[in-house]
Amino acid sequence: MSSSTRTILELAEQYLMQTGRRLPVTFVRGNGCRIYDESGREYLDLVAGIAVNLLGHAHPDVVRAVSAQAGALIHTSNLYFTQPQIDLARRLVELSFPSRVFFCNSGAEANEAAIKLARKWGARNRDGAFEIITTTGSFHGRTLATITAGGQPKYSDPFQPLPDGFVHVAFNDAAAIESATTDKTVAVMLEPVMGEIGIIPAAPGYLKRVREWCDSHNLLLILDEVQTGLGRTGKWFAHQHAGITPDVMTLAKGLGGGVPIGACLANPRADVFEPGDHGSTFGGNPLACTAALAVLHVIERDSLVGHAAEMGELLRDAIKDLGAKDLRGLGLMQAFEFEAPKAKQFQLGCLEAGLIVNAVDDHSIRLVPPLIITGQEIDRAHALMAKVAG
Ligand SMILES: Cc1ncc(COP(=O)(O)O)c(C=O)c1O
């Protein structure tokens, strides 16, 4: 650990709330899939700010667009119109399904919007039904409602009492959703690939059966595509693998290429928000929307959705070759497990070797690299991981 990282550790302990554990490295700049610490050391980045930097670091199109917009207009609030916000909403709708968009600043906020929308929809359309069925192990953010929606008590238990109205069932078990449905149920909320818990894709047929159940029982289907959206899984949106469309979809992470932005899309059936129902000071400001428009433009121009599918296969083969256990994922969202609890040690070993990977728990490693990753970079990552794994 460098002396300046040691100083930062001490300062961080003094001045930052200790909400998470950080690795002992301080990054100062990036370029593509490479990121550099304060001593100039280079690391190959297979985490991309936790599935955020879809175009890697300092992508010239994003830098150019954000710089120009920063010099013109950064923020206005939502008391007024700005062109980038409307352009972005239109682009997202064109890429997904007929809907309208609410902009916010993060995944948790996008899911809060979806939850509020479902509650209002239930008041209007299902006799005040308000319960949302979600899955054990899911992750939807860190606000009070979203830790309650998420099925991981370690995130919600310290913050009792929690809001009412969330029922948890096992993931990939459509029958469990059917049995948990009551007159109080208003919606089912799912991640098409559970991300934070360690990459668990929906089983074949699962999303389709849940969609049919929601249709036949007048429920909303909310898909949290905060981590899976925008090409990461080898389709623009992960639900497209299942040939279904949600009523409500949430996005964030990769949308702004690192500039914070979240979005909640709702189809005409679900879109019951009226003026005054919801809002955000910063949500969809011109800077964030311009960044997102640049990201979407480059993904499309450079055919990065297909590239992600191809690179996902290569990454999968590279991991297979490590002899890892329980390999799972979709596109450039892959995970594997070690039999022994050595994932954190592996993560540190990789960092020392110049490679960024993410240990989601003691056993599992998650890889969510930028969509621009190349075959040569995957070969390099493979060589480094093989060396560290021994
Ligand atoms: C599926 C999913 N939903 C929501 C969130 C929360 O997003 P944010 O941290 O931007 O609030 C995350 C973050 O990991 C996520 O993976």
Side-chain angles (χ1 to χ4, degrees):
M1 191 191 315
S2 72
S3 58
S4 79
T5 293
R6 194 168 302 117
T7 313
I8 283 194
L9 280 178
E10 284 156 14
L11 291 170
E13 195 155 328
Q14 185 173 357
Y15 291 112
L16 294 179
M17 285 196 195
Q18 301 294 296
T19 55
R21 275 175 282 276
R22 297 173 203 251
L23 291 167
V25 61
T26 306
F27 291 122
V28 293
R29 69 184 178 89
N31 180 17
C33 294
R34 315 287 164 138
I35 187 164
Y36 300 85
D37 70 15
E38 83 279 83
S39 70
R41 175 140 198 253
E42 179 183 286
Y43 301 78
L44 181 54
D45 184 3
L46 298 193
V47 177
I50 322 185
V52 166
N53 304 302
L54 297 180
L55 305 183
H57 302 279
H59 192 284
D61 287 77
V62 177
V63 172
R64 210 176 305 120
V66 167
S67 308
Q69 188 61 45
L73 188 66
I74 292 178
H75 177 78
T76 59
S77 87
N78 285 301
L79 294 174
Y80 319 101
F81 295 107
T82 60
Q83 193 69 45
Q85 188 180 104
I86 292 170
D87 291 346
L88 179 60
R90 182 176 179 174
R91 200 66 209 104
L92 287 174
V93 171
E94 285 167 356
L95 288 170
S96 57
F97 52 92
S99 53
R100 289 198 293 197
V101 187
F102 170 78
F103 286 113
C104 49
N105 312 288
S106 67
E109 281 177 78
N111 287 327
E112 283 277 344
I115 291 164
K116 285 177 71 176
L117 196 62
R119 287 200 171 191
K120 182 162 184 199
W121 187 86
R124 281 207 176 166
N125 298 296
R126 271 183 66 81
D127 273 342
F130 63 95
E131 268 180 12
I132 299 179
I133 300 176
T134 69
T135 63
T136 312
S138 63
F139 186 83
H140 298 294
R142 297 294 202 124
T143 62
L144 261 189
T146 55
I147 52 172
T148 314
Q152 297 192 58
K154 69 177 180 193
Y155 295 132
S156 55
D157 274 355
F159 305 105
Q160 306 274 357
L162 300 170
D164 269 353
F166 296 94
V167 174
H168 299 98
V169 300
F171 187 60
N172 274 335
D173 184 350
I177 290 175
E178 293 164 10
S179 321
T181 301
T182 68
D183 288 348
K184 288 199 216 151
T185 311
V186 70
V188 177
M189 180 168 173
L190 302 171
E191 292 171 80
V193 179
M194 286 211 291
E196 197 266 354
I197 191 83
I199 317 273
I200 304 175
Y206 175 63
L207 291 176
K208 192 152 191 288
R209 180 161 160 194
V210 176
R211 174 72 274 181
E212 283 163 7
W213 180 257
C214 289
D215 286 342
S216 58
H217 288 75
N218 194 28
L219 306 174
L220 294 180
L221 177 59
I222 303 169
L223 290 183
D224 176 344
E225 294 242 19
V226 165
Q227 192 163 152
T228 51
L230 305 164
R232 171 143 310 276
T233 67
K235 299 257 186 210
W236 272 104
F237 305 102
H239 64 259
Q240 293 168 339
H241 291 281
I244 59 137
T245 310
D247 299 297
V248 179
M249 173 172 75
T250 54
L251 299 171
K253 285 200 181 277
L255 181 55
V259 179
I261 182 167
C264 174
L265 283 72
N267 69 14
R269 171 172 174 249
D271 175 15
V272 289
F273 277 159
E274 293 163 298
D277 277 344
H278 200 43
S280 163
T281 298
F282 292 118
N285 83 15
L287 187 77
C289 289
T290 297
L293 281 164
V295 170
L296 297 180
H297 170 72
V298 174
I299 292 178
E300 199 158 35
R301 182 195 69 198
D302 298 350
S303 307
L304 292 178
V305 178
H307 181 74
E310 251 177 66
M311 293 300 111
E313 287 303 312
L314 287 187
L315 186 61
R316 217 180 153 76
D317 288 345
I319 302 169
K320 245 186 236 160
D321 192 52
L322 291 177
K325 185 179 148 245
D326 197 13
L327 176 54
R328 57 203 185 239
L330 205 53
L332 282 175
M333 198 176 173
Q334 298 286 339
F336 60 92
E337 271 191 29
F338 293 108
E339 192 102 33
K342 62 172 195 181
K344 300 234 159 97
Q345 190 191 322
F346 180 78
Q347 173 181 250
L348 257 184
C350 286
L351 186 71
E352 276 157 25
L355 181 71
I356 314 282
V357 303
N358 173 231
V360 285
D361 55 35
D362 290 339
H363 292 269
S364 312
I365 295 290
R366 166 171 58 168
L367 305 177
V368 280
L371 306 192
I372 56 165
I373 195 164
T374 62
Q376 288 93 318
E377 284 165 333
I378 290 175
D379 287 347
R380 167 108 188 107
H382 170 240
L384 291 171
M385 285 193 287
K387 200 164 124 203
V388 174

